[in-house]
Amino acid sequence: MTRWARGGPGDGAATAAAPTELFGRREETAVLDGLLAQARGGSGGALVVWGEPGIGKSALLRHVHGQAADFVRLSHSATRPESDLAFAGLHGLLRPPADRVELLATAQAAAVRTALGLSGEPTDRLVVGAAVLSLLCGLAERQPVLLVVDDRQWLDEATALCLGFVARRVGAHPVVVVLADHSDPAARPWEGVADVRVDALSDESARQLVAAVAPLTDKATTRNMVRDAGKASDTRAMNRLTAQEQRVAQLAAEQLTDREIGVQLRISHRTVGHHLGNVFAKLGINTRTELSHLHAGCEPP
């Protein structure tokens, strides 16, 4: 689903009702609002918002879209059925301003027409990336541009590479690119693009959210909802570990030393340290005590 707006009412689902405050997301919204302020000042930027499914990434995209009423807004939600279609995502994003394609240089215009399925001419992905960058910068000469992509994990490779190319080059122009993804964006095509990891809400923020969307919920039900959501989130986090990392995490949570873990698993203590480093990174923790608490939260009552 794609939306095109120059601000104001009638924007459709992109500005659909959402809580005035995103509970527990002050840091994330501050980063997004900062990008918009930066663009209003004449310089752009890009950000990948990432985290497990259902963690609240789409709500953050709705927030930044809603705060950008004075921007040209282009948005697209990638879908699994189109993930193997080259430039399907670009087709969704650029159909609204397609009339501006003819303002590009001849080679770039031809490349974009091919990417949008308007021509059968052969094209080069580098030329497409440069053309999309030129198109966005051209739009930004009149007012800042916000480009938002949700469910990046389903974005076709050709579009992903194109947007990665664009995202690393918008700094000198009032263009903001924000993408939501399930996994760590450190690798291609987002290498070099700033990112924000979205973690589960704290218990207090979760209680505030329940009170806001379901104010008649009694305290006992709210407490159970928050507890169950926390356990589900912890379990999903543990499931991201490899089998060996899970074994190392289990023993480390029991406060065994690296050498003791190594003896039990018949691996060196250095290998244990390597696995434990991966565990901490994947779970977003720093100590064995945190690991013990997290592991306890995943166990059935």
Side-chain angles (χ1 to χ4, degrees):
M1 180 164 47
T2 305
R3 309 171 195 98
W4 160 255
R6 290 185 179 274
D11 228 3
T15 53
T20 302
E21 178 183 358
L22 291 180
F23 299 103
R25 299 299 185 210
R26 190 168 298 173
E27 292 183 7
E28 293 91 339
T29 55
V31 174
L32 292 167
D33 292 346
L35 279 174
L36 297 181
Q38 185 175 302
R40 292 184 181 105
S43 56
L47 185 72
V48 179
V49 178
W50 66 284
E52 64 187 47
I55 204 70
K57 302 182 297 296
S58 294
L60 290 168
L61 296 191
R62 288 193 295 272
H63 168 84
V64 71
H65 190 284
Q67 295 297 311
D70 53 328
F71 282 57
V72 172
R73 293 176 288 189
L74 300 169
S75 59
H76 176 70
S77 293
T79 60
R80 177 184 248 169
E82 297 184 354
S83 60
D84 291 328
L85 298 177
F87 294 117
L90 206 60
H91 182 268
L93 280 167
L94 298 186
R95 272 189 306 168
D99 59 326
R100 296 185 60 89
V101 170
E102 301 309 319
L103 300 179
L104 298 172
T106 302
Q108 292 188 349
V112 173
R113 281 197 300 270
T114 298
L116 298 183
L118 302 175
S119 167
E121 300 176 33
T123 189
D124 180 270
R125 290 185 179 183
L126 176 60
V127 178
V128 173
V132 172
L133 180 62
S134 295
L135 181 62
L136 295 176
C137 293
L139 289 172
E141 290 177 359
R142 298 183 179 182
Q143 65 188 109
V145 174
L146 171 67
L147 188 152
V148 173
V149 176
D150 202 358
D151 290 324
R152 202 298 305 174
Q153 69 278 2
W154 300 126
L155 200 62
D156 63 276
E157 182 184 12
T159 297
L161 291 171
C162 174
L163 295 183
F165 176 91
V166 170
R168 286 184 287 270
R169 289 166 172 79
V170 295
H173 308 274
V175 176
V176 174
V177 179
V178 181
L179 308 104
D181 200 349
H182 283 180
S183 56
D184 188 337
R188 259 195 4 155
W190 313 122
E191 186 175 355
V193 178
D195 67 275
V196 167
R197 176 175 172 172
V198 183
D199 292 313
L201 293 175
S202 66
D203 287 356
E204 178 59 28
S205 294
R207 283 191 289 269
Q208 291 175 340
L209 178 60
V210 172
V213 300
L216 300 181
T217 305
D218 61 77
K219 291 184 178 180
T221 301
T222 298
R223 184 169 56 251
N224 290 337
M225 290 172 64
V226 171
R227 181 199 63 205
D228 293 345
K231 285 186 176 181
S233 178
D234 290 347
T235 299
R236 286 193 298 270
M238 285 293 186
N239 287 340
R240 291 199 298 268
L241 305 181
T242 66
Q244 186 73 312
E245 288 168 353
Q246 289 183 12
R247 287 189 284 268
V248 169
Q250 166 74 44
L251 296 173
E254 296 172 5
Q255 301 303 311
L256 272 69
T257 67
D258 287 7
R259 290 187 182 279
E260 289 170 334
I261 296 171
V263 169
Q264 289 206 26
L265 299 182
R266 298 183 178 181
I267 56 178
S268 74
H269 69 278
R270 292 186 179 86
T271 301
V272 172
H274 171 75
H275 286 311
L276 202 53
N278 289 340
V279 169
F280 285 178
K282 290 182 180 181
L283 301 183
I285 59 177
N286 297 301
T287 68
R288 290 174 188 246
T289 300
E290 290 177 284
L291 180 60
S292 296
H293 292 160
L294 185 61
H295 198 274
C298 294
E299 294 176 350

Short mmCIF file of all heavy atoms in Angstrom, two decimals, residues 233-271:
data_model
loop_
_atom_site.label_atom_id
_atom_site.label_comp_id
_atom_site.label_asym_id
_atom_site.label_seq_id
_atom_site.Cartn_x
_atom_site.Cartn_y
_atom_site.Cartn_z
N SER A 233 8.04 -12.12 24.89
CA SER A 233 9.15 -11.39 24.29
C SER A 233 10.49 -12.03 24.65
O SER A 233 11.37 -12.17 23.80
CB SER A 233 9.12 -9.93 24.77
OG SER A 233 10.21 -9.21 24.25
N ASP A 234 10.64 -12.44 25.90
CA ASP A 234 11.88 -13.09 26.32
C ASP A 234 12.09 -14.40 25.57
O ASP A 234 13.21 -14.74 25.18
CB ASP A 234 11.84 -13.36 27.83
CG ASP A 234 11.93 -12.08 28.65
OD1 ASP A 234 12.28 -11.03 28.06
OD2 ASP A 234 11.64 -12.12 29.85
N THR A 235 11.01 -15.15 25.38
CA THR A 235 11.11 -16.43 24.68
C THR A 235 11.53 -16.23 23.24
O THR A 235 12.38 -16.95 22.70
CB THR A 235 9.77 -17.18 24.75
OG1 THR A 235 9.44 -17.44 26.12
CG2 THR A 235 9.86 -18.50 23.99
N ARG A 236 10.93 -15.21 22.57
CA ARG A 236 11.32 -14.94 21.19
C ARG A 236 12.79 -14.54 21.10
O ARG A 236 13.49 -14.92 20.17
CB ARG A 236 10.44 -13.81 20.61
CG ARG A 236 9.02 -14.25 20.29
CD ARG A 236 8.31 -13.21 19.44
NE ARG A 236 8.18 -11.94 20.10
CZ ARG A 236 7.15 -11.59 20.86
NH1 ARG A 236 6.15 -12.45 21.06
NH2 ARG A 236 7.08 -10.41 21.43
N ALA A 237 13.26 -13.78 22.10
CA ALA A 237 14.67 -13.38 22.11
C ALA A 237 15.56 -14.60 22.24
O ALA A 237 16.56 -14.75 21.52
CB ALA A 237 14.92 -12.41 23.26
N MET A 238 15.22 -15.52 23.14
CA MET A 238 16.00 -16.74 23.32
C MET A 238 16.01 -17.59 22.05
O MET A 238 17.01 -18.24 21.72
CB MET A 238 15.45 -17.55 24.50
CG MET A 238 15.80 -16.98 25.85
SD MET A 238 17.59 -17.08 26.19
CE MET A 238 17.63 -16.52 27.88
N ASN A 239 14.91 -17.59 21.34
CA ASN A 239 14.80 -18.41 20.14
C ASN A 239 15.70 -17.92 19.00
O ASN A 239 15.89 -18.63 18.01
CB ASN A 239 13.35 -18.47 19.65
CG ASN A 239 12.49 -19.34 20.56
OD1 ASN A 239 13.00 -20.17 21.31
ND2 ASN A 239 11.18 -19.14 20.51
N ARG A 240 16.23 -16.69 19.13
CA ARG A 240 17.14 -16.18 18.12
C ARG A 240 18.55 -16.78 18.27
O ARG A 240 19.39 -16.62 17.39
CB ARG A 240 17.22 -14.65 18.19
CG ARG A 240 15.96 -13.94 17.74
CD ARG A 240 16.25 -12.49 17.40
NE ARG A 240 16.73 -11.73 18.53
CZ ARG A 240 15.94 -11.03 19.37
NH1 ARG A 240 14.64 -11.03 19.17
NH2 ARG A 240 16.46 -10.36 20.37
N LEU A 241 18.81 -17.42 19.41
CA LEU A 241 20.13 -18.00 19.65
C LEU A 241 20.27 -19.33 18.93
O LEU A 241 19.31 -20.06 18.74
CB LEU A 241 20.32 -18.22 21.15
CG LEU A 241 20.14 -17.01 22.08
CD1 LEU A 241 20.39 -17.42 23.52
CD2 LEU A 241 21.05 -15.87 21.68
N THR A 242 21.51 -19.65 18.54
CA THR A 242 21.78 -20.97 17.97
C THR A 242 21.68 -22.00 19.10
O THR A 242 21.65 -21.65 20.29
CB THR A 242 23.17 -21.03 17.35
OG1 THR A 242 24.16 -20.89 18.40
CG2 THR A 242 23.37 -19.92 16.31
N ALA A 243 21.65 -23.29 18.72
CA ALA A 243 21.54 -24.35 19.73
C ALA A 243 22.70 -24.30 20.73
O ALA A 243 22.50 -24.43 21.94
CB ALA A 243 21.48 -25.71 19.03
N GLN A 244 23.91 -24.08 20.21
CA GLN A 244 25.08 -24.02 21.10
C GLN A 244 25.01 -22.78 21.99
O GLN A 244 25.34 -22.84 23.18
CB GLN A 244 26.37 -24.03 20.29
CG GLN A 244 27.65 -24.12 21.13
CD GLN A 244 27.87 -25.50 21.72
OE1 GLN A 244 26.96 -26.10 22.30
NE2 GLN A 244 29.10 -26.01 21.60
N GLU A 245 24.59 -21.66 21.42
CA GLU A 245 24.46 -20.43 22.22
C GLU A 245 23.42 -20.61 23.32
O GLU A 245 23.60 -20.11 24.43
CB GLU A 245 24.08 -19.25 21.32
CG GLU A 245 25.23 -18.79 20.42
CD GLU A 245 24.79 -17.82 19.34
OE1 GLU A 245 23.56 -17.60 19.18
OE2 GLU A 245 25.66 -17.30 18.62
N GLN A 246 22.35 -21.34 23.04
CA GLN A 246 21.33 -21.59 24.06
C GLN A 246 21.90 -22.44 25.19
O GLN A 246 21.61 -22.20 26.37
CB GLN A 246 20.11 -22.26 23.44
CG GLN A 246 19.30 -21.34 22.56
CD GLN A 246 18.06 -22.01 22.00
OE1 GLN A 246 17.67 -23.10 22.44
NE2 GLN A 246 17.43 -21.38 21.02
N ARG A 247 22.73 -23.43 24.83
CA ARG A 247 23.35 -24.27 25.87
C ARG A 247 24.30 -23.45 26.73
O ARG A 247 24.31 -23.57 27.97
CB ARG A 247 24.08 -25.45 25.21
CG ARG A 247 23.14 -26.52 24.65
CD ARG A 247 23.91 -27.76 24.22
NE ARG A 247 24.60 -27.54 22.95
CZ ARG A 247 24.07 -27.83 21.76
NH1 ARG A 247 22.86 -28.33 21.68
NH2 ARG A 247 24.77 -27.63 20.65
N VAL A 248 25.10 -22.61 26.08
CA VAL A 248 26.02 -21.74 26.83
C VAL A 248 25.22 -20.78 27.72
O VAL A 248 25.56 -20.56 28.89
CB VAL A 248 26.93 -20.96 25.86
CG1 VAL A 248 27.70 -19.87 26.60
CG2 VAL A 248 27.90 -21.91 25.17
N ALA A 249 24.16 -20.20 27.18
CA ALA A 249 23.34 -19.25 27.95
C ALA A 249 22.73 -19.91 29.17
O ALA A 249 22.67 -19.32 30.25
CB ALA A 249 22.25 -18.67 27.05
N GLN A 250 22.23 -21.15 29.00
CA GLN A 250 21.62 -21.89 30.10
C GLN A 250 22.61 -22.05 31.25
O GLN A 250 22.30 -21.79 32.42
CB GLN A 250 21.16 -23.26 29.61
CG GLN A 250 20.82 -24.26 30.71
CD GLN A 250 19.50 -23.95 31.38
OE1 GLN A 250 18.53 -23.65 30.72
NE2 GLN A 250 19.48 -24.01 32.71
N LEU A 251 23.83 -22.48 30.93
CA LEU A 251 24.83 -22.72 31.97
C LEU A 251 25.35 -21.41 32.56
O LEU A 251 25.60 -21.32 33.77
CB LEU A 251 25.98 -23.54 31.38
CG LEU A 251 25.59 -24.97 30.92
CD1 LEU A 251 26.74 -25.64 30.20
CD2 LEU A 251 25.13 -25.79 32.12
N ALA A 252 25.49 -20.38 31.72
CA ALA A 252 25.94 -19.08 32.23
C ALA A 252 24.88 -18.48 33.16
O ALA A 252 25.22 -17.81 34.15
CB ALA A 252 26.23 -18.13 31.07
N ALA A 253 23.62 -18.71 32.84
CA ALA A 253 22.53 -18.20 33.70
C ALA A 253 22.57 -18.87 35.07
O ALA A 253 22.10 -18.31 36.06
CB ALA A 253 21.19 -18.44 33.03
N GLU A 254 23.14 -20.08 35.11
CA GLU A 254 23.30 -20.78 36.40
C GLU A 254 24.57 -20.36 37.11
O GLU A 254 24.96 -20.97 38.11
CB GLU A 254 23.29 -22.29 36.14
CG GLU A 254 21.96 -22.79 35.57
CD GLU A 254 22.02 -24.24 35.13
OE1 GLU A 254 23.07 -24.89 35.35
OE2 GLU A 254 21.02 -24.73 34.56
N GLN A 255 25.24 -19.32 36.54
CA GLN A 255 26.43 -18.71 37.13
C GLN A 255 27.67 -19.60 37.08
O GLN A 255 28.60 -19.46 37.90
CB GLN A 255 26.16 -18.27 38.59
CG GLN A 255 25.03 -17.27 38.73
CD GLN A 255 25.25 -16.00 37.90
OE1 GLN A 255 26.32 -15.41 37.96
NE2 GLN A 255 24.25 -15.62 37.13
N LEU A 256 27.73 -20.52 36.11
CA LEU A 256 28.95 -21.27 35.90
C LEU A 256 29.99 -20.38 35.22
O LEU A 256 29.63 -19.48 34.45
CB LEU A 256 28.70 -22.50 35.03
CG LEU A 256 28.26 -23.79 35.75
CD1 LEU A 256 26.87 -23.62 36.33
CD2 LEU A 256 28.30 -24.98 34.78
N THR A 257 31.26 -20.62 35.50
CA THR A 257 32.32 -19.86 34.85
C THR A 257 32.52 -20.37 33.42
O THR A 257 32.02 -21.44 33.05
CB THR A 257 33.65 -20.01 35.60
OG1 THR A 257 34.10 -21.37 35.49
CG2 THR A 257 33.49 -19.64 37.07
N ASP A 258 33.27 -19.58 32.63
CA ASP A 258 33.54 -20.00 31.25
C ASP A 258 34.23 -21.37 31.21
O ASP A 258 33.93 -22.21 30.36
CB ASP A 258 34.41 -18.96 30.53
CG ASP A 258 33.64 -17.71 30.19
OD1 ASP A 258 32.47 -17.59 30.61
OD2 ASP A 258 34.20 -16.83 29.50
N ARG A 259 35.19 -21.58 32.14
CA ARG A 259 35.92 -22.85 32.15
C ARG A 259 34.99 -24.01 32.52
O ARG A 259 35.08 -25.11 31.95
CB ARG A 259 37.11 -22.77 33.11
CG ARG A 259 38.22 -21.85 32.61
CD ARG A 259 39.46 -21.91 33.48
NE ARG A 259 40.49 -21.00 33.01
CZ ARG A 259 41.33 -21.24 32.01
NH1 ARG A 259 41.26 -22.41 31.38
NH2 ARG A 259 42.24 -20.35 31.65
N GLU A 260 34.09 -23.78 33.49
CA GLU A 260 33.16 -24.84 33.90
C GLU A 260 32.20 -25.18 32.75
O GLU A 260 31.88 -26.35 32.52
CB GLU A 260 32.38 -24.39 35.13
CG GLU A 260 33.23 -24.33 36.39
CD GLU A 260 32.52 -23.65 37.55
OE1 GLU A 260 31.61 -22.81 37.29
OE2 GLU A 260 32.87 -23.94 38.71
N ILE A 261 31.76 -24.14 32.03
CA ILE A 261 30.89 -24.37 30.88
C ILE A 261 31.63 -25.15 29.81
O ILE A 261 31.11 -26.08 29.20
CB ILE A 261 30.37 -23.04 30.32
CG1 ILE A 261 29.48 -22.33 31.34
CG2 ILE A 261 29.60 -23.26 29.02
CD1 ILE A 261 29.10 -20.92 30.94
N GLY A 262 32.90 -24.77 29.60
CA GLY A 262 33.72 -25.45 28.60
C GLY A 262 33.88 -26.93 28.89
O GLY A 262 33.82 -27.76 27.98
N VAL A 263 34.08 -27.26 30.16
CA VAL A 263 34.23 -28.66 30.55
C VAL A 263 32.96 -29.44 30.25
O VAL A 263 32.99 -30.54 29.70
CB VAL A 263 34.58 -28.76 32.05
CG1 VAL A 263 34.49 -30.22 32.52
CG2 VAL A 263 35.99 -28.23 32.30
N GLN A 264 31.80 -28.86 30.60
CA GLN A 264 30.53 -29.55 30.38
C GLN A 264 30.22 -29.74 28.90
O GLN A 264 29.69 -30.76 28.49
CB GLN A 264 29.38 -28.80 31.06
CG GLN A 264 29.40 -28.89 32.57
CD GLN A 264 28.01 -28.72 33.16
OE1 GLN A 264 27.02 -29.01 32.51
NE2 GLN A 264 27.95 -28.26 34.41
N LEU A 265 30.54 -28.71 28.09
CA LEU A 265 30.20 -28.76 26.67
C LEU A 265 31.34 -29.27 25.80
O LEU A 265 31.19 -29.39 24.59
CB LEU A 265 29.76 -27.36 26.19
CG LEU A 265 28.53 -26.78 26.88
CD1 LEU A 265 28.19 -25.41 26.27
CD2 LEU A 265 27.34 -27.72 26.76
N ARG A 266 32.51 -29.54 26.45
CA ARG A 266 33.68 -30.04 25.74
C ARG A 266 34.16 -29.06 24.67
O ARG A 266 34.45 -29.45 23.52
CB ARG A 266 33.39 -31.42 25.14
CG ARG A 266 33.08 -32.47 26.18
CD ARG A 266 32.87 -33.83 25.57
NE ARG A 266 32.61 -34.82 26.61
CZ ARG A 266 32.40 -36.12 26.37
NH1 ARG A 266 32.44 -36.56 25.12
NH2 ARG A 266 32.15 -36.96 27.36
N ILE A 267 34.21 -27.81 25.03
CA ILE A 267 34.76 -26.78 24.15
C ILE A 267 35.70 -25.93 25.00
O ILE A 267 35.67 -25.97 26.23
CB ILE A 267 33.66 -25.89 23.53
CG1 ILE A 267 32.79 -25.26 24.63
CG2 ILE A 267 32.80 -26.68 22.56
CD1 ILE A 267 31.71 -24.33 24.11
N SER A 268 36.55 -25.14 24.36
CA SER A 268 37.50 -24.31 25.10
C SER A 268 36.78 -23.14 25.77
O SER A 268 35.69 -22.72 25.33
CB SER A 268 38.59 -23.79 24.17
OG SER A 268 38.06 -22.75 23.34
N HIS A 269 37.41 -22.60 26.83
CA HIS A 269 36.79 -21.46 27.51
C HIS A 269 36.76 -20.23 26.60
O HIS A 269 35.89 -19.37 26.73
CB HIS A 269 37.51 -21.15 28.82
CG HIS A 269 38.90 -20.61 28.65
ND1 HIS A 269 40.00 -21.41 28.42
CD2 HIS A 269 39.37 -19.33 28.65
CE1 HIS A 269 41.08 -20.66 28.31
NE2 HIS A 269 40.74 -19.40 28.43
N ARG A 270 37.71 -20.16 25.65
CA ARG A 270 37.69 -19.05 24.69
C ARG A 270 36.47 -19.15 23.77
O ARG A 270 35.84 -18.14 23.44
CB ARG A 270 38.98 -19.04 23.86
CG ARG A 270 40.23 -18.69 24.67
CD ARG A 270 41.44 -18.56 23.76
NE ARG A 270 42.64 -18.20 24.51
CZ ARG A 270 43.42 -19.09 25.11
NH1 ARG A 270 43.14 -20.39 25.04
NH2 ARG A 270 44.49 -18.70 25.79
N THR A 271 36.14 -20.37 23.36
CA THR A 271 34.94 -20.57 22.53
C THR A 271 33.69 -20.22 23.32
O THR A 271 32.75 -19.64 22.78
CB THR A 271 34.87 -22.02 22.03
OG1 THR A 271 36.05 -22.31 21.28
CG2 THR A 271 33.64 -22.24 21.15
#
